[in-house]
Every structure is written in structure tokens, then in C-alpha cells.
Amino acid sequence: MTSAPATTKATRRRHDREIVALAVPAFGALVAEPLFVLADSAIVGHLGTAQLAGLGVASALLTTAVSIFVFLAYATTAAVARRAGAGDLPAAIRQGVDGIWLALLLGAAVIIAVLPSARALVDLFGASPTAAPYATTYLRISTLGIPAMLIVLAATGVLRGLQDTRTPLYVAVAGFVANAALNAGLVYGADLGIAGSAWGTVLAQWGMAAAYLVVVVRGARRHGASLRPDAAGIRASAQAGAPLLVRTLSLRAMLLIATAVAARLGDADIAAHQIVLSLWSLLAFALDAIAIAGQAIIGRCLGAGDAEGARRVCRRMVEWGIAVGVGLGIVVVLARPLFLPLFTSDSAVKDAALPALLLIALAQPISGIVFVLDGVLMGAGDGPYLAGAMLVTLAVFAPVALLVPTLGGGLTAVWGAMTLMMTIRMLTLWVRTRSGRWVVTGATR
């Protein structure tokens, strides 16, 4: 007869294998995405400073627009995983198809809104007179790729919900390679300048969308799922995503507030803030990969009616989040002297950044818990609670951050407010998971 401790260890090893199998490819796909902008920057940078500045403004606008709709991936992952866990693969894929149709509709709406207002948006972001024409050109062309980017988000959610994070990795890597090759060929070979970079990125994005659609269409045909748009299904997808949209907008607002406050502190502080924020975002990829695994596994467990299994996975993922957070924190502390010279030789910027880097290092275990529990509740379809919790966090964070220029403390105080933000998020998520109210079994929540 197997002893209880042995059974527990075997269960933990099974969970660990599954978490790693989902999280590692997810991390690769997440890291591949920002490489699009990096490749564009490297190629356009050789055209001139004005072109690179224009690309920076346009990329910021595009990134903001797409990040707002990241709920397409999150909500679709949870819904598909639930139905797959319940053993109804046709319904799972049908749910994913509804998400893809919603992505296409939203993408078309963004094109209609952005194309005529591109120059006004560029001016709103403060582009210089020399950079504005390049930013406008890049934005107008790249906007045509937004529907493809949103389709990729929704289709990624379908595959994650089906416990497949390898295909998104392969598509992301292929997309990056195609993007770099197309950009180089169109910018220099065809002599199209910054417009060539934009067209190269658009073609790469639609190529990625086509690859995902081939996979989803094959799955739908294999399991007899309809591919036609269904108004009720699309509306349900939108309703499931609405709370996550509120959550995402609240988070973006907090990041914008932190950047705006840092900008008021002076050039050295805003420069240091950008360096610290870049590292913080990079660390978030590692933690978000674990959260993605959580979304998929929790959704499947709840769909299968395995409430106790979902709780066990949640506990194990919290342990993973803490362990990875501690590891990342140690790396940041040890690498601080090596990291900063990569970005600046200005001693004032280094002096401002060093204490802030120490703060984010110390806060990584907190971040680990936040990302994991965020993923757990997303996988459970607990979007309304996540939206409310993030609004509460914003209400506390905003006045604290906005008081920094008055009370003093410089950039360290700004990142102290960011740490407070993550701590509040951890507490609100912890309270919810401890209550057990997120554990709702069945094919739908």
C-alpha cells in the first residue's frame, strides 16, 4: 500500500513536470514578442535619429493598443481549458473560435479609429517635428497588422487552454525571423525606409496569424466544431473579457503614473526609471510564464470537476512563484554592478537606479506570488474579482505615488510605491484564494 507522503511527493512531481512543460515554452514565446520591436529598432536606427525617434513613438502607441486587448488571450485560455477539462473538445474549440472572431472585430475597430487620427495621436505623444512624419507613417502602416496581432492573442489562448504552449513558441520564433528578414529586405533592399520596416512587421504578423488559424481550423474540423461567427458566443467572449480589460487598464494606469512621476523628478531619475522598468518587465516574463501554466492547469482541473486538484495545483504554484521570485531577486542583487553599465555611464543615473534595483530585487518573491495567484484566478474565470481588486490597488497607489515629488525620496520612493502596489495586489489575491470562492467547477463558470 502506498504511503501518504509518497503519494504526495508523486503528485508534486507530476505537477512540477506539468508546470515546467507549459511554462518553459510560454517563457520563450513571451520573450520572442518584444524582439519584434528590438529588430525594428536595430534596422531603423541605421536610417537616422529622426526615424528611430519616430519608431519609438509609434511603437509605444501600438504596444499600448495591443496590450489593452491582452484579455483575448487570458479569457480564451480559461474558457477553453474548462471545456477541455470537462471532456468537450468541440465546445472548447468553438469557444476559441468565438474569441478569434472577437479579435478580428476589435482589430477592425482599431483600424477605423487609428488610421484617420494617426497624426493627432503622434502629436499627443509629444513627437518632435522631425520625428512626427516618420512616426505617422509607421503607425498608419503598422495599424493594418493590429487585427493579426489580436488574432494571435486569441489563438494563443486557444492553444494554451488545450495545454499546448509549444506551438506558440514555434510560431513566435518563426515570426521573429521572418520579421527581421522582411524588414532588412524592405528597408535596405527595396529602399523603402521606415515604411519598409512597418510593412515587414505587418507581413510577419499576418503570417503568424495565418499559422495559428491553420492550426485552429484543423482542430475544429477534426472535432466537428463550427467555424462560423456566432453572435451569442462572441458576445459571451466579450463579457468574459470585460473585467480583465478593466484589470489591464488599471495596471497600465499605475505604470503610466509611475513614469509620469519619475519624469517630474528630473532627467537622471526618468532615465534611471526606464532602466529599472525595463528590468522589471523582463523579470515579469519569467513569472508570467508560470502564471500562464496556472491559467491552463487550473481551468482544466475545474472543468473536470477536480476542486481538490485545483487547490493542490494552486498551493504548488505559489511555492514555485516564491522560489522563482527569490532566485530572480538574488540574480538582480548580484548583477546590479554589471547591469547598469549596459545602459548608462552617467553616475547620476546609476546612483538613482541602484536603490530602486535593490527594491525590486527584494520584492521579487512578492511578485512571484502575485503573478501566480493572478494566473490561478484567471484560470478559474474569476475576472470580476480581479477587476475590483485592481481598482482598489489603483485607488491606494495613485495618491501615494503622486505625493512622491512633494514628500521627497526620489526614484527610490517611486519604486517604494510600486512595491506597495505589488504588496496590495498580493494581499487581495491571497484573501480571495484563501476564501475558496474561486473554486467553481464545471465546463462554464
Side-chain angles (χ1 to χ4, degrees), residues 5 7 13 52-53 60 86 108 135 138-139 151 153 215 237 241 247 267 291 300 302 355 407 442:
T7 302
R13 283 197 297 270
L52 185 59
Y138 191 93
L139 180 60
I151 289 171
L153 284 176
V215 174
S237 294
R247 167 202 169 275
D267 290 347
R300 188 198 65 212
L302 294 176
L407 299 179

Side-chain angles (χ1 to χ4, degrees), residues 29-79:
L30 290 169
V31 171
E33 291 172 9
L35 291 179
F36 271 75
V37 176
L38 186 62
D40 289 358
S41 300
I43 292 170
V44 171
H46 291 287
L47 295 175
T49 301
Q51 289 91 332
L52 185 59
L55 173 65
V57 172
S59 294
L61 285 163
L62 289 165
T63 301
T64 299
V66 174
S67 66
I68 288 173
F69 299 114
V70 73
F71 70 84
L72 288 166
Y74 295 157
T76 305
T77 297

Side-chain angles (χ1 to χ4, degrees), residues 305-365:
D306 187 4
E308 184 54 37
R311 292 188 182 93
R312 285 197 301 268
V313 170
C314 177
R315 287 193 293 269
R316 188 56 180 158
M317 297 206 68
V318 169
E319 293 171 0
W320 266 84
I322 294 171
V324 173
V326 170
L328 292 175
I330 293 171
V331 169
V332 172
V333 171
L334 296 177
R336 279 190 309 160
L338 303 174
F339 176 74
L340 287 175
L342 295 175
F343 292 88
T344 182
S345 57
D346 189 327
S347 59
V349 175
K350 289 181 181 178
D351 290 342
L354 278 171
L357 286 175
L358 182 59
L359 267 178
I360 68 168
L362 294 174
Q364 282 308 293

Side-chain angles (χ1 to χ4, degrees), residues 80-128:
V80 171
R82 270 186 176 270
R83 285 164 175 77
D88 191 350
L89 285 177
I93 296 173
R94 177 67 248 185
Q95 180 72 39
V97 170
D98 291 334
I100 291 173
W101 278 111
L102 175 62
L104 189 60
L105 292 173
L106 291 172
V110 172
I111 289 178
I112 293 170
V114 172
L115 279 182
S117 59
R119 182 55 191 259
L121 290 170
V122 165
D123 291 339
L124 183 64
F125 264 58
S128 68

